[in-house]
Amino acid sequence: MISSSIFRIILFAWQSFWRNIWLSIVTITIIVLTFISINFLITVNVVSDAAINIVKDKVDISVYFRPDITEPQVDEVQTYLSSLTQIKEINYISQQEALEKFRQAHREDQVIIESLEELETNPIGATLQIRAKNIDDYPEIISILDNSKYNDLILDKNFDDNQAYIGKIKEFSDNIRKVGLFSLGVFAIIALLIVFNTIRVAIYTHREEIGVMKLVGATNWFIRSPFLVEAVFYGVVSCVIAIIIIYPLLNFIQPHINSFFLTEEFNVINYFNQNFWKIFGLEILVIIFLNIITSVVAIRRYLKV
Amino acid sequence: MIIFKNISKIYPPNVVALKNINLHIKPKEFVSIVGRSGTGKTTLVKILTAEESSTKGRIIVGGWDITYIKPREIPVLRRQIGVVFQDFKLLAKKTVFENIAFALQACGTDQQKIKEIIPQVLKIVSLTGKENRYPIQLSGGEQQRVAIARALVHRPKILVADEPTGNLDSINTQEIMDLLLKINEFGTTVVLVSHNKEVINSINKRVITIDNGEIISDQKIGKYLL
């Protein structure tokens, strides 16, 4: 009895879906567009996030040692810094390499090159290039260095130059995230309202049918259930179509992302693959839930016969 | 079978549709309720099928006092009263078979039994062979016969026909009336609501005349008075 009722409900839902195919197509199209728009915004958020991370990753600070500081002393500082949890990577540049870099940087400036030639000793000290795990950690690393016994060995740090730059990136990334979340939220609300209205219109076209069902003795549950199952159909079919459309689009934009960032570090398709169920699973659940709630609300007024 | 006791219906703010209706319809009777448009005939049918509730009075159907019927009991009542409407009220996206089957499926009848019952009712309404057609592919008379078949599948004790010939030509009207008389002969109480003078005068059955919401005449073998 229960299984035959369930079978009938699914059958009625399928018949209604199929026999009102244009209405179904219109409803599904709206939901597919909603899915695509939401995922487009997710992509924009993810790409801007990745862009900020790539830029953040390129930020470092350089610690310049006095020219008289020996390599073992620099090694000691490097070992000390390596023990700090905030440090991601330290790159050691010897005095000789630093000089070479300096020469390269000023190869067009004859005065500087000649001045260097005249000096008998290397006037440039070794350098440590420090990269922190988090952009917020730089001030703390600098403060640790300033208060350490190694402070006297250090000639200069370029943190002050970078501080404004780092602050700007941080502010920019925070703003992008806020704007992204806000626009995603606003769009999600608009999308929900559109889907809500679409389902209401779909149910509205069935209003006479619902009335007739009531008059021949059908219970509210028997009338309502096929519409709820149909609402689930709309959600599932729309999500599948949206996935079929979204992946080729991601494939299309991936090379453009790579050429824009000049790196292949970030792959948006991988991101969607890794978070497939988190993204599409959640979206499909939300859409189905919304469709069902809308259907229940929309049908209720026509059940009063 | 059907008892109306002092039934009144007043729509807000103060429109009186029915005024102190007292009526007793016996089992297996064929009763015509006649009157001009807007005199309260359809309101009477709606109260009988629990589409509307009365403002005053009591109504008893087959010994069941439905005056204060609970919403969950309404489907049970409607399965006991077959109703036929002027505009047929068929489900446009379902075939003839599915339209009739729906009334049985709604109360959980198993598919095997549905397959046995439907050919029998289709035979009664002379629609054998047209079970796979959609309503739009049928004439008005045929659509009304589908509606009658649907009303009959529960083997109801009462069949209410609200202006069943209102949208039909004279030939189809006669066919539908013959069918209603045949159903009555099988033992079903038939309540016919109509303002078709020729139809009422031709059947020589009980006629109740309503005017301005009140019963002005109740004749055992009556004629259309207005």
Side-chain angles (χ1 to χ4, degrees):
Chain A
M1 173 87 172
I2 291 171
S3 63
S4 88
S5 287
I6 291 169
F7 173 75
R8 269 175 195 160
I9 286 161
I10 294 171
L11 181 71
F12 286 168
W14 173 248
Q15 282 178 348
S16 172
F17 181 86
W18 189 245
R19 290 177 186 176
N20 297 286
I21 190 67
W22 284 108
L23 184 66
S24 303
I25 287 172
V26 170
T27 310
I28 285 171
T29 306
I30 300 281
I31 301 174
V32 166
L33 289 175
T34 307
F35 267 125
I36 291 173
S37 310
I38 294 272
N39 285 298
F40 173 73
L41 266 180
I42 290 175
T43 307
V44 169
N45 270 359
V46 166
V47 169
S48 61
D49 230 36
I52 286 158
N53 283 335
I54 288 168
V55 173
K56 274 181 178 175
D57 221 37
K58 294 204 186 317
V59 171
D60 58 16
I61 50 172
S62 295
V63 175
Y64 304 106
F65 290 90
R66 295 203 322 257
D68 57 312
I69 302 303
T70 59
E71 204 174 320
Q73 285 175 297
V74 177
D75 280 346
E76 196 185 328
V77 178
Q78 188 174 359
T79 310
Y80 171 70
L81 285 173
S82 300
S83 67
L84 300 176
T85 52
Q86 296 92 332
I87 304 287
K88 183 182 174 190
E89 189 184 12
I90 300 173
N91 189 22
Y92 170 68
I93 299 166
S94 67
Q95 274 190 287
Q96 198 51 45
E97 284 169 333
L99 180 64
E100 225 18 74
K101 278 193 175 180
F102 188 81
R103 271 185 209 281
Q104 279 296 316
H106 299 91
R107 65 179 180 276
E108 306 291 322
D109 194 333
Q110 279 304 313
V111 180
I112 290 178
I113 298 296
E114 279 167 19
S115 307
L116 278 176
E117 298 297 329
E118 282 172 25
L119 289 170
E120 287 176 6
T121 54
N122 184 349
I124 297 170
T127 307
L128 285 180
Q129 278 182 336
I130 303 167
R131 199 161 280 179
K133 283 179 185 156
N134 194 312
I135 203 161
D136 299 324
D137 293 335
Y138 285 111
E140 204 183 338
I141 295 166
I142 293 299
S143 153
I144 291 169
L145 265 179
D146 285 347
N147 296 316
S148 73
K149 60 179 178 179
Y150 306 113
N151 193 31
D152 293 341
L153 312 180
I154 297 165
L155 183 70
D156 196 13
K157 305 183 254 331
N158 71 346
F159 179 66
D160 292 338
D161 307 338
N162 279 349
Q163 199 167 21
Y165 181 49
I166 290 169
K168 279 263 178 241
I169 289 176
K170 197 170 146 14
E171 192 188 329
F172 182 66
S173 82
D174 287 349
N175 284 342
I176 283 274
R177 191 162 290 132
K178 275 183 208 157
V179 170
L181 279 177
F182 178 74
S183 52
L184 192 63
V186 169
F187 201 85
I189 291 170
I190 294 170
L192 293 185
L193 289 175
I194 291 171
V195 171
F196 188 80
N197 206 41
T198 307
I199 296 284
R200 274 172 65 94
V201 170
I203 299 279
Y204 177 78
T205 62
H206 289 290
R207 67 196 184 285
E208 282 181 19
E209 203 178 326
I210 294 169
V212 174
M213 290 174 178
K214 283 285 286 184
L215 289 173
V216 299
T219 59
N220 288 353
W221 182 85
F222 193 77
I223 295 168
R224 199 185 281 129
S225 305
F227 286 103
L228 303 188
V229 174
E230 204 175 337
V232 175
F233 282 169
Y234 286 149
V236 173
V237 172
S238 307
C239 189
V240 170
I241 293 174
I243 290 169
I244 291 169
I245 295 172
I246 286 166
Y247 268 88
L249 284 178
L250 293 178
N251 245 322
F252 174 75
I253 62 166
Q254 183 60 52
H256 297 277
I257 294 173
N258 289 348
S259 62
F260 181 73
F261 291 140
L262 298 170
T263 170
E264 291 188 4
E265 272 177 53
F266 176 69
N267 188 318
V268 71
I269 299 169
N270 278 352
Y271 177 84
F272 271 85
N273 282 344
Q274 280 159 10
N275 297 284
F276 187 89
W277 292 112
K278 212 161 125 191
I279 296 172
F280 294 110
L282 188 67
E283 284 175 5
I284 199 169
L285 282 180
V286 169
I287 285 287
I288 287 174
F289 177 75
L290 181 77
N291 288 357
I292 287 176
I293 294 291
T294 311
S295 301
V296 168
V297 173
I299 294 169
R300 198 166 56 180
R301 60 186 300 193
Y302 305 120
L303 286 175
K304 291 174 187 161
V305 177
Chain B
M1 182 98 269
I2 303 169
I3 301 167
F4 286 86
K5 280 186 184 171
N6 296 318
I7 288 288
S8 293
K9 177 70 185 178
I10 301 163
Y11 290 105
N14 202 18
V15 181
V16 180
L18 293 172
K19 210 187 298 171
N20 287 325
I21 298 288
N22 283 293
L23 195 57
H24 187 188
I25 297 170
K26 294 188 195 108
K28 300 181 186 177
E29 246 192 309
F30 191 115
V31 180
S32 301
I33 297 174
V34 303
R36 293 191 193 95
S37 296
T39 51
K41 306 184 299 289
T42 299
T43 305
L44 202 66
V45 172
K46 284 185 171 177
I47 290 173
L48 184 60
T49 57
E51 269 188 82
E52 303 262 6
S53 57
S54 58
T55 313
K56 243 172 52 186
R58 284 177 66 202
I59 174 161
I60 297 158
V61 178
W64 181 11
D65 189 337
I66 61 160
T67 314
Y68 303 108
I69 189 167
K70 292 182 181 119
R72 68 165 191 276
E73 293 171 334
I74 292 174
V76 180
L77 172 74
R78 289 180 182 163
R79 289 171 203 165
Q80 293 174 21
I81 305 174
V83 187
V84 178
F85 302 91
Q86 180 175 356
D87 57 355
F88 322 132
K89 293 199 189 297
L90 297 175
L91 301 169
K93 300 284 180 180
K94 289 189 188 288
T95 62
V96 167
F97 185 95
E98 288 165 350
N99 260 285
I100 302 167
F102 185 82
L104 292 169
Q105 288 161 337
C107 60
T109 311
D110 70 62
Q111 201 59 26
Q112 194 52 44
K113 201 158 185 192
I114 290 172
K115 282 181 183 164
E116 286 168 21
I117 295 172
I118 290 181
Q120 293 169 18
V121 288
L122 282 175
K123 197 174 169 191
I124 294 171
V125 299
S126 308
L127 280 176
T128 304
K130 295 192 174 173
E131 47 271 68
N132 291 324
R133 296 202 187 172
Y134 287 92
I136 200 166
Q137 297 168 319
L138 300 174
S139 71
E142 287 173 325
Q143 287 186 50
Q144 193 58 290
R145 280 188 271 151
V146 177
I148 292 172
R150 180 181 63 189
L152 291 178
V153 283
H154 290 303
R155 300 179 195 278
K157 293 276 191 309
I158 302 164
L159 179 68
V160 179
D162 186 5
E163 304 279 9
T165 59
N167 283 351
L168 305 179
D169 58 31
S170 56
I171 295 170
N172 277 310
T173 295
Q174 195 50 55
E175 281 178 13
I176 294 298
M177 287 313 301
D178 290 344
L179 186 55
L180 292 177
L181 289 167
K182 188 164 93 178
I183 291 163
N184 179 240
E185 276 169 25
F186 290 157
T188 305
T189 307
V190 176
V191 178
L192 169 69
V193 174
S194 178
H195 60 252
N196 188 324
K197 195 172 184 175
E198 289 76 36
V199 166
I200 300 300
N201 289 343
S202 67
I203 54 177
N204 293 319
K205 298 281 185 184
R206 183 180 171 192
V207 177
I208 296 163
T209 308
I210 296 181
D211 195 31
N212 285 328
E214 286 181 286
I215 294 177
I216 58 164
S217 148
D218 187 349
Q219 305 160 280
K220 204 167 182 184
I221 296 175
K223 295 287 176 193
Y224 196 101
L225 293 179
L226 297 166

